[in-house]
């Protein structure tokens, strides 16, 4: 085995790369697909606002792109947003809210046109006015603040087209944490987005998760939500029961985690054809 590996090393087919894999924070290891079981799991869900600070359309400046996620712990790893370039999006202004709603009268919110009624109902908006409707590609020249800008996440978050964006759940806009998902990682590589790893082997945040260092990702969702609410970035929090990957050994839920690994290239010496 060592001799054969040596041949790959000599012809430069062996290389170190990184990609998101299903990771067990209990066993502190990556899992192969065959080691993964899917079981019902209750996830915390949140709707979050991303404030547009720059756009060629002045009407969009100061409005908020709204995302929905079942993994609040990935917000510190957020570095981009994804929209569907052929989907229709609407900007609304909030006119009336329910007593428990976290949205504010006068807020301008952006999500997929087809999901406007569903989202506004869930986040407690009783009445709104639709200000404009536009194609997704209009979002491509916008820049947004990270919701945790006030605690040191002082970089722009840019929306990009993602062909995986659909209208099945959420808002039609996906928050992208390139270190924590296949689609996220691919979009990040394609658009030169920073691939940030916020989680250590044992499931605790590292220094990249400013404000939450040392917290365990399985226990941090509530703190993430509280901090978002403190900065008026949280619109709603709920729960979702769904099928979720678990380790067959520990039975613990898994996460996607970008990890450095060694690969043998299938292209370098035409291995796929051979």
């Amino acid at each position: 085995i060592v001799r054969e590996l040596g041949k790959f090393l000599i012809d430069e087919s062996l290389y170190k790369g990184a990609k998101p894999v299903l990771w067990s924070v209990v066993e502190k290891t990556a899992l192969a697909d065959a080691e993964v079981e899917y079981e019902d799991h209750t996830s915390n869900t949140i709707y979050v606002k991303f404030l547009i600070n720059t756009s060629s359309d002045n009407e969009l400046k100061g409005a908020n792109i709204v995302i929905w996620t079942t993994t609040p712990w990935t917000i510190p790893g957020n570095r981009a947003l994804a929209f569907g370039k052929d989907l229709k999006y609407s900007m609304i202004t909030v006119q009336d809210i329910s007593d428990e709603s976290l949205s504010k009268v006068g807020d301008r919110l952006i999500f997929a046109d087809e999901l406007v009624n569903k989202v506004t109902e869930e986040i407690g908006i009783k009445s709104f006015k639709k200000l404009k409707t536009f194609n997704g590609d209009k979002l491509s020249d916008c820049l947004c603040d990270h919701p945790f800008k006030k605690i040191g996440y002082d970089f722009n978050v840019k929306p990009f087209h993602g062909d995986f964006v659909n209208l099945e759940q959420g808002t039609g806009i996906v928050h992208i944490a390139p270190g924590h998902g296949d689609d996220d990682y691919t979009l990040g590589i394609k658009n030169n987005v920073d691939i940030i790893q916020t989680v250590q082997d044992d499931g605790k945040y590292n220094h990249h998760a400013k404000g939450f260092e040392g917290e365990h990702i399985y226990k941090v969702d509530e703190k993430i939500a509280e901090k978002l609410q403190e900065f008026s970035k949280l619109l709603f929090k709920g729960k979702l029961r769904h099928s979720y990957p678990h380790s067959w050994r520990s039975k613990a839920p898994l996460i996607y985690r970008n990890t450095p690994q060694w690969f043998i290239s299938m292209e370098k010496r035409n291995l796929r054809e051979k």
Side-chain angles (χ1 to χ4, degrees):
I1 292 169
V2 173
R3 191 175 292 120
E4 290 305 316
L5 204 55
K7 292 177 189 174
F8 289 123
L9 185 65
I10 288 164
D11 71 20
E12 296 181 347
S13 297
L14 185 71
Y15 67 96
K16 195 174 191 180
K19 67 178 242 187
V21 291
L22 282 167
W23 182 272
S24 168
V25 301
V26 176
E27 286 108 358
K28 300 181 188 173
T29 185
L31 271 77
D33 289 347
E35 299 175 295
V36 176
E37 296 173 343
Y38 283 83
E39 294 171 21
D40 278 354
H41 177 73
T42 301
S43 292
N44 295 309
T45 64
I46 51 173
Y47 285 92
V48 183
K49 300 192 292 190
F50 282 74
L51 179 73
I52 297 174
N53 62 48
T54 306
S55 172
S56 59
D57 183 342
N58 280 329
E59 288 180 76
L60 295 186
K61 276 189 203 168
N64 293 277
I65 292 175
V66 179
I67 67 96
W68 174 84
T69 181
T70 58
T71 52
W73 64 266
T74 59
I75 293 290
N78 171 276
R79 292 299 181 271
L81 299 170
F83 59 84
K85 67 176 192 295
D86 300 321
L87 297 178
K88 291 266 185 243
Y89 291 87
S90 281
M91 175 167 69
I92 67 160
T93 183
V94 179
Q95 293 178 321
D96 190 22
I97 56 173
S98 64
D99 291 343
E100 65 278 2
S101 178
L102 296 173
S103 58
K104 294 180 171 59
V105 173
D107 267 355
R108 285 181 294 140
L109 307 175
I110 294 168
F111 19 68
D113 184 58
E114 212 174 291
L115 299 170
V116 167
N117 291 335
K118 177 178 166 285
V119 174
T120 50
E121 185 181 337
E122 184 159 27
I123 63 182
I125 295 171
K126 284 160 71 172
S127 71
F128 61 87
K129 182 182 176 189
K130 205 179 271 193
L131 299 174
K132 67 190 297 178
T133 301
F134 49 88
N135 271 355
D137 53 13
K138 195 174 184 63
L139 294 171
S140 62
D141 74 342
C142 293
L143 294 174
C144 301
D145 289 346
H146 191 286
F148 288 147
K149 182 178 180 177
K150 286 184 176 171
I151 52 172
Y153 296 71
D154 50 358
F155 47 82
N156 286 319
V157 174
K158 186 167 168 44
F160 298 98
H161 165 65
D163 51 18
F164 51 85
V165 178
N166 60 47
L167 302 176
E168 282 170 30
Q169 281 180 312
T171 65
I173 299 156
V174 178
H175 110 83
I176 299 296
H180 298 295
D182 268 343
D183 290 333
D184 307 49
Y185 178 78
T186 305
L187 182 141
I189 292 289
K190 183 180 174 186
N191 296 290
N192 294 318
V193 177
D194 287 342
I195 313 292
I196 298 294
Q197 176 53 260
T198 57
V199 181
Q200 300 172 148
D201 290 4
D202 60 359
K204 290 179 181 171
Y205 282 131
N206 63 22
H207 66 284
H208 287 302
K210 290 178 186 169
F212 304 96
E213 299 96 326
E215 295 279 357
H216 197 288
I217 56 160
Y218 286 169
K219 300 171 183 170
V220 80
D221 281 0
E222 198 55 45
K223 285 186 179 172
I224 295 278
E226 283 170 11
K227 193 57 80 173
L228 288 168
Q229 191 170 344
E230 183 187 323
F231 298 146
S232 299
K233 300 298 182 185
L234 185 71
L235 282 169
F236 185 78
K237 59 178 182 174
K239 293 195 179 294
L240 176 73
R241 189 95 180 137
H242 59 155
S243 178
Y244 194 81
H246 288 67
S247 163
W248 70 283
R249 283 195 288 270
S250 65
K251 307 300 178 191
L254 302 171
I255 65 168
Y256 268 103
R257 182 173 182 269
N258 191 46
T259 55
Q261 296 161 76
W262 290 96
F263 297 91
I264 292 169
S265 168
M266 299 300 285
E267 275 76 46
K268 184 90 177 173
R269 297 284 173 184
N270 230 355
L271 275 188
R272 200 167 271 116
E273 251 174 58
K274 286 181 189 174

